[in-house]
């Protein structure tokens, strides 16, 4: 039986090309080597929040630990057992589990795959032109401006959060 | 082994009480009898978009066919085979499939469970105080105002969309 191709507004995520590149400046781009995303947002015509289906290979991570000044974030674990790492410590998640990160909450977070199996998560985040993203472990911040190349700046004493 | 209870920002959706009631005025409340939701938004502290895990029993539906004036919507099929019904016809979805409904797009949509197995979907929608929801099949509209009781009004010739 031939596979039926879905028509919009429905979408089969496997039809979306994998995005493999990282926006992080070296050497931080290595952190997400092994993480790939299927960005669904534009294909679905959405603009108010973004949706990715993200795969994290064994030993890789979703991102540097970070928090957003103006964007809520949400993740749903589709498969695998990622470790959620926050300021408060680590928790291992399992398929069907969720997590939410309210805008402005200064609790850096990321998912790390410490297992031998690929992790797949659905991730949702508001899109705000005001948003800054803060990376406390490496003292970087990413300036607002969704539609230009990301601008990472070092946080120093004169540039506190 | 005792089950580890997740701590925020992580959340096990099974910890959230099922919401069974419908906001629709009679007789339309019967449409969603058999649909139950686990609302995750408040529990996760999110405010910019809402997230539910919704179960649709055989013979039930997610909602009346509707579209939103100011809110993007997204669904991800966790399990089961819902029929996505829109102005353009029906498509059967399967686990892992998605759909997106941009704000203001006048294409009424809903999921119907025509199978013998429960359907489970993750649904995400922006939260906007400006939003009106339009139900073209029954010519109803729901007025803006997320934090008050829903106000449904009939669409007549003097009250066109």
């Amino acid at each position: 039986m031939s596979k039926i191709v879905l028509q919009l507004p429905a979408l089969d995520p496997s039809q979306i090309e994998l995005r493999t590149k990282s926006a992080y400046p070296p050497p931080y781009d290595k952190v997400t080597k092994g993480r790939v995303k299927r960005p669904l947002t534009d294909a679905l015509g959405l603009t108010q929040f973004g949706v990715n289906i993200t795969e994290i290979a064994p030993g890789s991570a979703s991102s540097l630990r970070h928090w957003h000044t103006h964007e809520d974030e949400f993740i749903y674990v589709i498969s695998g057992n990622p470790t959620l790492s926050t300021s408060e410590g680590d928790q291992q998640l399992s398929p069907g589990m969720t997590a939410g990160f309210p805008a402005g909450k200064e609790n850096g977070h990321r998912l790390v795959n410490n297992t031998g199996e690929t992790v797949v998560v659905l991730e949702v985040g508001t899109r705000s032109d005001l948003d800054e993203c803060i990376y406390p472990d490496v003292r970087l911040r990413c300036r607002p401006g969704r539609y230009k190349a990301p601008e990472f700046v070092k946080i120093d004493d004169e540039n506190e959060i």
Side-chain angles (χ1 to χ4, degrees), chain A:
Chain A
M1 196 176 80
S2 65
K3 189 172 178 185
I4 295 165
V5 176
L6 296 179
Q7 303 297 316
L8 286 173
L11 178 70
D12 176 352
S14 72
Q15 302 293 309
I16 301 294
E17 203 171 335
L18 285 170
R19 180 193 293 163
T20 57
K21 68 180 179 187
S22 168
Y24 294 154
Y28 306 119
D29 53 343
K30 289 188 180 62
V31 170
T32 54
K33 203 170 163 69
R35 177 212 68 187
V36 295
K37 298 189 182 215
R38 294 187 198 274
L40 309 186
T41 322
D42 293 350
L44 292 168
L46 304 178
T47 58
Q48 299 176 347
F49 52 82
V51 184
N52 298 314
I53 292 182
T54 298
E55 299 179 16
I56 308 167
S60 189
S62 62
S63 62
L64 294 165
R65 222 162 53 82
H66 69 283
W67 57 272
H68 291 275
T69 58
H70 287 74
E71 296 180 350
D72 279 359
E73 271 190 290
F74 169 83
I75 63 104
Y76 173 85
V77 180
I78 294 173
S79 63
N81 293 276
T83 299
L84 172 62
S85 179
T86 71
S87 306
E88 295 145 356
D90 289 352
Q91 299 180 74
Q92 192 168 40
L93 308 184
S94 55
M97 299 299 103
T98 67
F101 311 103
K105 184 145 183 157
E106 300 185 17
N107 186 0
H109 55 268
R110 68 172 182 163
L111 298 173
V112 181
N113 186 353
N114 293 322
T115 77
E117 305 291 330
T118 298
V119 162
V120 185
V121 297
L122 178 83
E123 49 185 27
V124 180
T126 314
R127 289 191 160 183
S128 165
D129 284 335
L130 301 174
D131 189 61
E132 287 195 274
C133 190
I134 313 295
Y135 303 87
D137 295 335
V138 297
R139 297 193 64 73
L140 278 181
R141 62 200 304 166
C142 188
R143 296 288 196 193
R146 176 164 295 282
Y147 298 106
K148 56 183 190 188
E151 181 194 352
F152 290 89
V153 294
K154 202 73 189 168
I155 298 168
D156 56 33
D157 291 342
E158 291 165 24
N159 180 20
E160 269 305 321
I161 299 162

